[in-house]
Amino acid sequence: MQFLRRSLVGIFLLAITLALFAWAGNTVRLAVQERMNAEPRSFEQRERVLSVNVVEVQPQTIAPDLTLFGELESARTLDLRAVVGGTVLEVSENFRDGGRVEAGELLVRIDPRDAQAALNRTRANLQDSQAELRDAERALTLASDELAAAEDQADLRRRALARQVDLADRGVGTAAAVENAELAASSAEQAVLSRRQALAQAEARVDQARTRLARTEIDLDDAERTLADTEIHAAFAGSLAEVAASPGIRVTANERLGQLIDPDQLDVSFRLSTSQYARLLESDGTVIGAPVTVSLAVEGLNLTAQGSVSRESALVGEGQTGRVLFARLDNTAGMRPGDFVTVTVTEPALDGVALVPATAVAADETVLVLNEENRLREAPVTLMRRQGDDVIIRAPDLAGQRIVAERSPLLGAGIAVQPLNLDEQRSAAPAEPQVISLDPERRARLVAFVEGSQMPDEAKARVLSQLEQDEVPADVVTRLETRMGG
């Protein structure tokens, strides 16, 4: 009985368990069906609007700038060489590397004794040649007089012969008298010929004396020039470099003693590509006269000079490409030959172009344009030049329209945006002061720092002169205080 009772209880519990499982399964099935058959809930969708910086395309006339690198060189450079050899007796106090000399200043004097002795000998030879010429001229005068006398004597002999012949014809004279008269006339003619030969010799002697005098005068000029060449003078005002002479050394002819450079007349040479060269060509096919600006950064200062292209190299150069141009510069204070500088060449102006940020133009030369509903659309443009962080484009169809200044992968055609005017933001930004006033303590601290720095003397003098002014450039003060750590 007990076994049967336990078996029935177990069967009952099992039946209840199966019933509960069936009820739970049915409940889950009904819930799933209700969930699947129910309509989905809808939420209000809002379009995402991005804020972008925009600029307005404003067609204008722009002269693009080419930024290149070049090297300064002197327009006037002269090698100082010893024309004659000898011992250096004297040099100028300014005859040293970096020495400043004036035009005509005596730089080097070489021992002139040999040249002076040669000049004295030549002057003595000149006196001999002049005396020889005077003697030859006197001899020529005497020979002319002797010829005239001989011709007179010959005339007398001929008249005497004519009388003897006339007497003989009349039977008064004798044949012997006629023969004597003929012999005397013949002797007189022979004397005339001798005097003519003497006259010709005297004339030849005069010509030889004049030729000798001319040679002596040439030798005299050469000797005077050699004596003058013992002194080397500055051909123009400038600075000296590569000086290699001192008193007491012996120099040979054509030995280089130094180099005279005019630091105030500088040219800049720079190489540019063939395409850049083609953009600089004028209507006549030349680039002469293109404006050039040269800048040199020295110890926190930016030295600039203006100029224009004066000539171009005739050869490209072996293994080189492009073109080499030379520009003549004006007002090159602080610059020296050999400086490596930045060269900015102004190209011919372009009409109907616009200047926009470089980030506004994609690689396929398209921009994103805003329509009336502030939605974006792509538009093609023509990229003309790159100017630092900006580009020059030609897009006549976009005149007066707004484009995205900074493109990103999130932006594309059809997207709504919130425009922010980049030009207004730039104009609203406060401009940094160009010059500032310094209190005495701050000025004294900056002056002490500059005087104790390792700046070159020229740069140090330039900075100190700026610090002495009532108003000092703000960028100079900023750079100095940055180096001071203040």
Side-chain angles (χ1 to χ4, degrees), residues 94-417:
N94 298 324
F95 194 73
R96 63 189 69 182
D97 286 338
R100 185 81 180 188
V101 298
E102 300 297 332
E105 180 178 345
L106 176 62
L107 303 179
V108 178
R109 186 193 303 274
I110 300 175
D111 189 358
R113 288 179 295 181
D114 295 340
Q116 185 65 50
L119 177 61
N120 294 336
R121 287 193 296 269
T122 305
R123 287 174 176 172
N125 294 335
L126 178 63
Q127 294 177 357
D128 291 342
S129 299
Q130 292 173 346
E132 175 66 20
L133 179 60
R134 290 192 298 269
D135 189 19
E137 290 175 346
R138 287 193 295 267
L140 176 62
T141 302
L142 293 176
S144 298
D145 295 340
E146 290 178 352
L147 176 60
E151 289 177 348
D152 294 340
Q153 185 69 23
D155 290 338
L156 293 176
R157 295 298 181 180
R158 284 192 291 272
R159 288 196 298 270
L161 175 61
R163 286 194 300 272
Q164 292 297 330
V165 171
D166 182 59
L167 293 175
D169 292 340
R170 289 184 299 180
V172 178
T174 61
V178 172
E179 290 179 358
N180 291 334
E182 290 178 349
L183 291 175
S186 177
S187 297
E189 295 290 341
Q190 186 65 34
V192 170
L193 292 177
S194 298
R195 296 306 177 189
R196 288 178 177 174
Q197 184 176 5
L199 179 62
Q201 292 177 352
E203 291 175 349
R205 182 183 174 187
V206 170
D207 294 338
Q208 292 176 356
R210 289 175 177 172
T211 303
R212 180 181 176 184
L213 178 61
R215 290 197 185 99
T216 306
E217 290 176 347
I218 294 174
D219 294 340
L220 179 62
D221 294 338
D222 188 29
E224 291 176 347
R225 185 171 57 254
T226 301
L227 180 61
D229 289 338
T230 58
E231 295 181 353
I232 301 177
H233 297 264
F236 52 85
S239 300
L240 297 174
E242 301 180 7
V243 173
S246 59
I249 68 170
R250 185 169 183 81
V251 296
T252 59
N254 202 37
E255 182 177 347
R256 183 178 178 181
L257 305 181
Q259 191 176 39
L260 180 61
I261 300 174
D262 189 350
D264 298 329
Q265 295 188 14
L266 297 182
D267 288 349
V268 59
S269 63
F270 54 95
R271 182 178 293 274
L272 67 170
S273 66
T274 306
S275 59
Q276 292 172 337
Y277 172 79
R279 295 203 299 262
L280 293 176
L281 292 177
E282 299 290 348
S283 57
D284 57 355
T286 64
V287 296
I288 307 302
V292 172
T293 302
V294 172
S295 60
L296 173 64
V298 180
E299 293 294 333
L301 300 178
N302 192 19
L303 303 179
T304 60
Q306 307 293 328
S308 59
V309 176
S310 58
R311 64 190 190 279
E312 58 181 300
S313 177
L315 299 176
V316 176
E318 184 177 357
Q320 302 291 335
T321 59
R323 302 290 186 270
V324 177
L325 301 183
F326 300 87
R328 177 62 55 85
L329 302 179
D330 301 324
N331 192 15
T332 57
M335 299 182 181
R336 291 294 180 267
D339 284 339
F340 192 68
V341 296
T342 302
V343 182
T344 303
V345 185
T346 303
E347 300 183 23
L350 301 176
D351 297 327
V353 295
L355 183 67
V356 299
T359 53
V361 183
D364 56 353
E365 296 188 6
T366 59
V367 295
L368 295 176
V369 186
L370 279 72
N371 58 15
E372 294 79 2
E373 300 177 355
N374 289 337
R375 291 190 178 275
L376 301 180
R377 66 178 179 87
E378 284 191 347
V381 296
T382 302
L383 180 62
M384 304 299 296
R385 302 286 191 276
R386 294 189 179 272
Q387 301 289 289
D389 296 334
D390 299 327
V391 293
I392 299 176
I393 62 173
R394 188 185 298 279
D397 297 337
L398 302 181
Q401 300 189 39
R402 297 173 299 171
I403 64 173
V404 176
E406 299 175 358
R407 298 188 60 163
S408 70
L410 300 178
L411 302 177
I415 296 179
V417 295

